[in-house]
Amino acid sequence: MKTSDIIRRAGRNLRQAKGRTILTALAISVGAFTLTLSLAIGAGTRNYFAKVMETNINKQSLVVYKDKSLVGISTGASALKEYDPEAATYGGGYSYKTLGPDDLKTLEKDKNISAVIPGYDVQAEYFQFEGNAKKYTSAVYAHDSTVRSNAAAGSLPKLGEQLKDDQIVLPEAYLETLGIKKASDAVGKKVTLHVVKPQQQLSDEELQQIYLSEGLEGVANATKSEQKDVTYTIAAVSAKPATALTASNQLSISLNQAKELSEYLTKGTKSYQRYMAATVLAKDGVDPATVRDELEKQDLYAMTAKDLQGMLFTLVNVMQSIVAGFGVLALLASVFGIINTQYISVLERTSQIGLMKALGMSNRAIGKLFRYEAAWIGFLGGIIGAGLAIALGTIFNPVITEKLKLGADNDLLIFQPLPIAGLLVLLIFIAIVAGWFPSRKAAKLDPIEALRTE
């Protein structure tokens, strides 16, 4: 009996038991649905990050650290909190090496580096927003010109350009806390930073000299803290959700202003001109990975844009594996369903099997018949599950894109034909393996005993 004839016969047999066939196929379709979605999510997310890397990030940029343990650590989102003068901030005992003037000179002298931008961190006492009497606290950093964020409202600088010195960018995540309903309502409003310079730490000898020359008033002036207010205009509201690649998670001001305020606040302290990180630009035509490897020889540790992309892809793969795990569990359950269905089919068709053997059908052909029946079930389950996933994904893709604010032509779910075809082949193979035990039983039936069975 030809293989094509056995396949057609297997299909006819399944049509005669439609209810059981459909129920078993539906069990497989659950796993096929989940696995198809996991493949689509993985493809869509990787495609999104690849596009962002291509259009929103300067591929020649590197982030350089003095402390290797900081490489790959994201500062994450900085929450906007109401200011409490009684509150204290604790560092948790965590310390790290910082980049100093000598390290910056080393970077500037590197023949493969075209620009060095220290990571200025401004520790403001509090902020006040126009039209809001409350005071708030949040981190504020220099605008990163090597990364372009998406704007929910207003206008953000182009890649490689800086904010003006009187401008500030507000994260969209802050709007709810500020009681602002629309991002456009925030653009053009004023934000005032209140910064307080810490008291100078003077030795007893220095205090004594000041006292002798200027008296108590001189000592008071030398030890009192300085403070000032700086006002900016909101130029844009950076869109959420913020990703490690595209968005600004905190208030950001121009590089010039960040440098001025940072040095004002730290002058006379151990933190003066010391930075957690610095952004450097490799010269055109120079592979940033080469710069990274050369810096490591000088005890400076860097992460390129591609390194960051690789970390994000690893995270995507982990998340995709978790989703796929649920699909695999569903498939394992369906395997037992196929085995059970096929065993019942063998028992119900024992006399039919005996008749086929009596008419000359070989044991091998009998085994193939039941394995092909299982293959048909796997194929139907895969088609139902994958088809449903593709249909629902196509319908909801625009909604998901809008809710997550991924931007135009950025679908979270991308259905690729080859992986889905591979999944169908895998499901058919799994079904055949599951049908092997019942098919073996059918092939080994004694024809005479089988014919006696009714």
Side-chain angles (χ1 to χ4, degrees):
M1 196 172 185
K2 294 181 180 178
T3 299
S4 58
D5 294 331
I6 298 174
I7 293 173
R8 283 195 294 270
R9 178 63 183 270
R12 286 198 300 271
N13 289 341
L14 290 178
R15 284 197 296 271
Q16 292 172 1
K18 292 178 183 175
R20 187 167 59 203
T21 300
I22 291 173
L23 288 174
T24 309
L26 286 175
I28 295 177
S29 71
V30 174
F33 177 85
T34 308
L35 290 172
T36 302
L37 280 183
S38 72
L39 289 172
I41 290 171
T45 308
R46 281 189 285 269
N47 181 70
Y48 171 70
F49 285 137
K51 278 186 177 180
V52 168
M53 289 288 300
E54 188 68 28
T55 59
N56 288 41
I57 291 183
N58 188 333
K59 288 188 273 187
Q60 294 301 105
S61 65
L62 303 91
V63 181
V64 181
Y65 303 89
K66 182 71 172 179
D67 196 319
K68 191 175 183 180
S69 66
L70 296 175
V71 178
I73 294 178
S74 172
T75 55
S78 175
L80 183 67
K81 298 179 181 178
E82 196 167 339
Y83 172 65
D84 181 2
E86 303 282 330
T89 303
Y90 298 96
Y94 182 71
S95 61
Y96 52 84
K97 296 177 183 177
T98 55
L99 294 168
D102 291 340
D103 298 310
L104 295 183
K105 286 179 182 177
T106 299
L107 294 172
E108 289 166 355
K109 289 178 181 178
D110 194 307
K111 62 181 181 180
N112 292 321
I113 293 175
S114 61
V116 179
I117 308 165
Y120 298 109
D121 179 9
V122 180
Q123 298 295 328
E125 181 79 4
Y126 60 78
F127 303 88
Q128 282 189 290
F129 296 85
E130 183 181 344
N132 192 325
K134 294 181 179 179
K135 299 175 181 178
Y136 298 92
T137 60
S138 171
V140 60
Y141 296 95
H143 174 72
D144 188 351
S145 61
T146 65
V147 179
R148 189 181 188 282
S149 304
N150 296 319
S155 179
L156 286 165
K158 294 179 181 179
L159 192 65
E161 295 183 2
Q162 265 295 332
L163 288 168
K164 294 179 181 178
D165 286 349
D166 63 345
Q167 292 180 331
I168 191 168
V169 175
L170 179 73
E172 189 179 10
Y174 288 7
L175 296 181
E176 185 177 353
T177 304
L178 294 171
I180 301 173
K181 293 183 179 180
K182 292 194 301 182
S184 57
D185 293 341
V187 177
K189 289 194 173 183
K190 305 292 183 182
V191 178
T192 300
L193 279 66
H194 181 75
V195 294
V196 179
K197 186 176 182 179
Q199 296 177 352
Q200 290 190 34
Q201 300 297 317
L202 301 175
S203 66
D204 292 340
E205 293 178 357
E206 289 172 325
L207 287 171
Q208 190 174 8
Q209 288 178 356
I210 294 172
Y211 176 74
L212 291 174
S213 60
E214 301 178 31
L216 288 173
E217 186 178 349
V219 173
N221 290 332
T223 57
K224 73 177 181 181
S225 58
E226 296 179 31
Q227 52 187 311
K228 66 177 180 177
D229 292 335
V230 189
T231 301
Y232 302 97
T233 301
I234 298 175
V237 176
S238 58
K240 64 177 182 181
T243 70
L245 288 178
T246 62
S248 173
N249 288 314
Q250 60 279 317
L251 291 163
S252 56
I253 55 179
S254 72
L255 182 65
N256 288 337
Q257 281 291 292
K259 178 181 179 181
E260 181 182 319
L261 289 175
S262 176
E263 295 193 346
Y264 169 77
L265 291 169
T266 59
K267 192 170 184 179
T269 70
K270 292 181 179 179
S271 300
Y272 183 63
Q273 293 188 342
R274 302 205 68 86
Y275 315 99
M276 185 175 92
T279 300
V280 303
L281 295 178
K283 289 183 178 178
D284 291 339
V286 177
D287 186 354
T290 302
V291 177
R292 177 199 60 200
D293 295 340
E294 288 299 320
L295 289 177
E296 191 166 347
K297 295 176 183 177
Q298 303 175 67
D299 293 328
L300 294 172
Y301 306 94
M303 183 171 64
T304 67
K306 280 192 176 181
D307 292 335
L308 178 57
Q309 184 184 36
M311 289 174 61
L312 291 171
F313 279 11
T314 300
L315 179 61
V316 170
N317 292 338
V318 170
M319 297 303 294
Q320 186 180 10
S321 299
I322 293 172
V323 175
F326 291 104
V328 171
L329 289 175
L331 285 181
L332 287 175
S334 67
V335 164
F336 293 102
I338 293 173
I339 294 172
N340 183 60
T341 299
Q342 291 298 90
Y343 262 123
I344 292 173
S345 180
V346 170
L347 293 174
E348 288 179 346
R349 292 156 57 192
T350 299
S351 59
Q352 186 185 109
I353 294 169
L355 181 60
M356 287 188 290
K357 285 191 172 186
L359 292 174
M361 195 171 184
S362 67
N363 289 347
R364 186 178 180 183
I366 293 289
K368 278 185 177 182
L369 177 64
F370 282 89
R371 286 196 293 274
Y372 289 154
E373 287 181 14
W376 271 114
I377 294 172
F379 176 74
L380 289 172
I383 289 293
I384 293 170
L388 186 60
I390 292 171
L392 291 176
T394 303
I395 293 170
F396 287 104
N397 245 337
V399 179
I400 295 170
T401 300
E402 183 180 354
K403 288 290 183 184
L404 296 180
K405 298 184 180 179
L406 300 179
D409 302 322
N410 285 319
D411 292 330
L412 179 66
L413 303 173
I414 295 180
F415 298 95
Q416 298 174 317
L418 285 179
I420 293 174
L423 175 61
L424 286 176
V425 172
L426 177 64
L427 292 174
I428 292 170
F429 174 76
I430 290 172
I432 291 173
V433 172
W436 184 81
F437 297 100
S439 69
R440 189 166 175 269
K441 178 178 177 63
K444 286 189 173 184
L445 283 176
D446 184 278
I448 297 174
E449 292 296 326
L451 286 171
R452 288 177 180 172
T453 304
E454 282 296 339

